[in-house]
Amino acid sequence: KAPVACGSSENITVDLVRLLPQQPHTNEDLSIEVLGRVPQDAALQDPMEIGIDARVLFCRRVGDCMPVFHLNTTLCEALMDSGKECSGLNPGQTFSLSRTWHLPLLMVRGTYTLLLQFHRIRQEVVKADAHPYEYYSNVINSQFYRPAGDVMSCYTLHEEVLASRHINILRDFRDAIIAFLIAAS
């Protein structure tokens, strides 16, 4: 799936976030691969100076999100965890990051949001940004998390996690019908 940009992109672009399996279910492994690139018009990028802030949120309503997972690392560490070399990224060069998790059987089933932000790691302390990063509102509205440093790019991806057992599928169907009847009355 192509992630949705939640702001402008500077020096790092994410083209694809691939899930294996494509439709996640509880009680199974989920692999996520992020395919990105450095735009042709960008300068050489040092992965040690680029941070990644990835958050998974479970949102029931606009502005009502529960953090489920958080990863804060450098692009260098993420490349090495994916079995890649940590070296400078040239203009036009692509990169891929991958990670696998096991989804528990008794997790909440529904829509999960991935908020993926790349940011320039600052060594010095800056009082306030002269040009704050502008986020575009797309579902999680006021619950954007801003990592330290200059945000280079921001992406979101929304995915449903479904039940793996047939009895839970029937229960989810029953609950949806009852919720509709209550809302319609």
Side-chain angles (χ1 to χ4, degrees):
K1 281 182 152 177
V4 177
C6 50
S8 58
S9 182
E10 173 193 320
N11 299 330
I12 295 289
T13 303
V14 173
D15 297 315
L16 182 70
V17 176
R18 183 179 303 150
L19 303 177
L20 292 173
Q22 285 184 324
Q23 181 59 65
H25 289 84
T26 59
N27 201 33
E28 65 181 24
D29 287 342
L30 174 64
S31 294
I32 298 178
E33 183 178 19
V34 175
L35 302 173
R37 63 183 161 81
V38 177
Q40 290 287 352
D41 58 349
L44 177 73
Q45 300 298 309
D46 180 359
M48 284 298 292
E49 296 179 359
I50 298 173
I52 298 175
D53 190 81
R55 295 177 187 264
V56 176
L57 307 167
F58 184 78
C59 302
R60 292 305 244 177
R61 295 175 292 280
V62 173
D64 182 17
C65 296
M66 175 179 67
V68 176
F69 175 78
H70 179 221
L71 173 70
N72 190 2
T73 187
T74 64
L75 180 54
C76 182
E77 290 171 356
L79 286 167
M80 290 190 303
D81 288 347
S82 301
K84 312 291 188 304
E85 183 179 316
C86 177
S87 59
L89 298 172
N90 294 310
Q93 185 175 348
T94 60
F95 63 88
S96 70
L97 309 172
S98 60
R99 191 132 183 206
T100 301
W101 292 272
H102 181 77
L103 301 180
L105 174 63
L106 298 176
M107 69 182 290
V108 177
R109 298 176 299 277
T111 303
Y112 286 79
T113 299
L114 168 66
L115 174 60
L116 180 63
Q117 297 177 101
F118 291 86
H119 56 97
R120 184 82 52 206
I121 298 172
R122 289 188 185 165
Q123 300 301 327
E124 73 282 350
V125 177
V126 178
K127 291 182 183 174
D129 288 339
H131 305 286
Y133 187 82
E134 290 185 27
Y135 290 107
Y136 300 113
S137 175
N138 64 351
V139 173
I140 56 178
N141 289 346
S142 63
Q143 291 213 339
F144 279 113
Y145 296 88
R146 185 183 171 101
D150 296 322
V151 177
M152 301 168 68
S153 58
C154 172
Y155 297 91
T156 59
L157 179 74
H158 310 287
E159 192 60 55
E160 293 286 326
V161 174
L162 303 178
S164 57
R165 292 187 174 170
H166 294 295
I167 190 69
N168 289 342
I169 294 169
L170 291 173
R171 288 177 181 151
D172 288 349
F173 182 70
R174 175 204 63 198
D175 293 347
I177 290 174
I178 291 172
F180 176 76
L181 292 173
I182 290 171
S185 62

